[in-house]
Amino acid sequence: MKIVVFFSGTGTNLEAILNKQKDFDYEVISAFTNNPKAEGLKICGKYNTQCEVIDHRVFKTRKDFDNNVSEFLEKINPDYIILAGYMRIISESLVNDWEGQIINIHPSLLPKYPGLNTHQKALEAKDKYHGTTIHYVINKLDAGPIIRQESFKIELNDTVESLTNRVKEIENRIYPETISKLI
Ligand code: GRF
């Protein structure tokens, strides 16, 4: 199974996915980022993985940007597009073209808290539990069919930072495993 991993920032999930390639039945044929300054680029270097960089800021419209992304995807023709901290909304036509083949990981127990600042929202709501969700991408933000969800108990002393780390620790474990079971 051939996958491409999309990221925009730190890339801990990207690293976990690359690292587990040897144990699981998938191959990262390329990475992709919209952010030329993403920390995750160093990880691509470390794992000798080619990374396509298309800076969204040089395009006037989302459509122009996504046309370029589309060309790249057609060229490499992956089985799955794995979003791992990819901070751009994917345009409708791209989602339609790759229907059922785009997977995302979102740091909340969906349908709770789609969008940004999920850790802050869970703390403000005094939630007892928090967690992460792996789901198919559809043309509605963070709303596609859920593949896997994992939760943990929020402790009294948890902060946005501690929740970020606790969530990522789970994500780094379950994302590679879940990807390997996609086919
Ligand atoms: C993760 O918590 C993921 O759920 C969210 O963005 C974060 C990315 O972290 N979509 P990283 O770049 O993989 O470290």
Side-chain angles (χ1 to χ4, degrees):
M1 181 176 66
K2 296 179 299 168
I3 65 171
V4 57
V5 182
F6 279 38
F7 66 98
S8 301
T10 328
T12 64
N13 281 296
L14 166 73
E15 176 147 30
I17 293 165
L18 285 169
N19 190 30
K20 287 284 173 187
Q21 260 181 134
K22 54 186 187 314
D23 303 330
F24 291 134
D25 205 11
Y26 62 76
E27 184 198 348
V28 181
I29 52 170
S30 180
F32 174 87
T33 188
N34 63 304
N35 176 11
K37 293 195 174 130
E39 277 288 302
L41 279 164
K42 292 186 195 136
I43 295 165
C44 295
K46 179 172 158 194
Y47 286 83
N48 237 331
T49 298
Q50 98 96 24
C51 183
E52 181 83 2
V53 183
I54 304 181
D55 186 347
H56 67 277
R57 290 167 307 184
V58 305
F59 298 93
K60 277 213 180 88
T61 63
R62 189 186 301 279
K63 204 165 182 311
D64 287 345
F65 169 68
D66 273 355
N67 281 343
N68 278 265
V69 178
S70 199
E71 266 174 37
F72 160 69
L73 286 172
E74 272 159 32
K75 200 170 66 194
I76 63 166
N77 193 28
D79 296 308
Y80 285 96
I81 299 157
I82 305 296
L83 309 185
Y86 183 61
M87 301 305 285
R88 301 286 300 162
I89 292 171
I90 295 181
S91 69
E92 204 173 315
S93 62
L94 218 132
V95 172
N96 293 342
D97 285 350
W98 296 89
E99 201 195 336
Q101 290 173 278
I102 313 179
I103 313 291
N104 184 36
I105 192 159
H106 182 76
S108 80
L109 297 171
L110 289 173
K112 269 193 170 183
Y113 317 135
L116 298 172
N117 305 321
T118 57
H119 310 304
Q120 181 75 40
K121 286 173 185 162
L123 286 174
E124 276 168 10
K126 302 203 184 320
D127 286 349
K128 285 209 169 72
Y129 292 91
H130 190 43
T132 187
T133 308
I134 298 169
H135 65 95
Y136 287 100
V137 171
I138 58 167
N139 277 314
K140 192 173 171 210
L141 186 67
D142 301 325
I146 291 174
I147 302 169
R148 183 167 175 183
Q149 206 160 44
E150 197 147 315
S151 64
F152 60 85
K153 205 163 180 296
I154 298 180
E155 304 296 342
L156 271 177
N157 59 355
D158 265 318
T159 59
V160 168
E161 201 192 348
S162 70
L163 289 184
T164 306
N165 293 334
R166 293 182 72 190
V167 163
K168 280 197 192 190
E169 205 174 297
I170 294 173
E171 292 183 337
N172 295 172
R173 175 171 52 80
I174 69 170
Y175 212 9
E177 207 176 281
T178 307
I179 292 164
S180 76
K181 291 183 184 149
L182 281 172
I183 285 183

